[in-house]
Amino acid sequence: MAEASTGKVNFELVTPTELVFSEDTDMVVVPGAEGDFGVLPGHTPFLTTLRAGLIDIHRGGAIAWSLFVEGGFAEATPGRCTVLATSVRSLDDVTPEDAKERLNAAEEALRGADDENRVGLEAERVAAEAMVKVIEMRAAAG
């Protein structure tokens, strides 16, 4: 595990079924419920919930990996950042068409939803909308 004095932060990304990522990195930017936050070595300890969005893992002064999470929890300490995510997808695995199709399907399901299913379907719509925005933002950035 990285220590704050090494200039690295150990980042672990875990889903209910697997350890997705575990490496020492320069910085991690995580989509917190109240906004994105960066974790550098020496970070003040805290715990927060996540919203659907992009985790950017930095190495060598640049983003080395980007992964889309649909929610979960994050814990930061001076030498570590751990994300427990409900699900994770690489942006390489999602086309703009796939993301828009998912959003359209979520919106259609929500239109016909009863009150009992509305909360889960709204969460799906929010995640799909976030995925579309992330993909469009990355495409615009080049």
Side-chain angles (χ1 to χ4, degrees), residues 93-115:
D93 298 339
V94 182
T95 67
E97 294 77 21
D98 291 340
K100 288 177 184 173
E101 184 177 312
R102 179 181 176 188
L103 178 57
N104 290 338
E107 288 173 340
E108 181 65 30
L110 195 55
R111 278 192 280 280
D114 57 22
D115 289 343

Side-chain angles (χ1 to χ4, degrees), residues 9-12 27-51 72-84:
V9 61
N10 179 260
F11 175 61
E12 288 195 338
M27 178 175 73
V28 181
V29 179
V30 180
E34 300 297 321
D36 292 354
F37 62 93
V39 179
L40 292 163
H43 198 285
T44 300
F46 84 119
L47 181 67
T48 189
T49 56
L50 303 180
R51 71 180 194 292
F73 298 91
E75 177 190 32
T77 66
R80 186 185 76 231
C81 177
T82 303
V83 170
L84 308 173

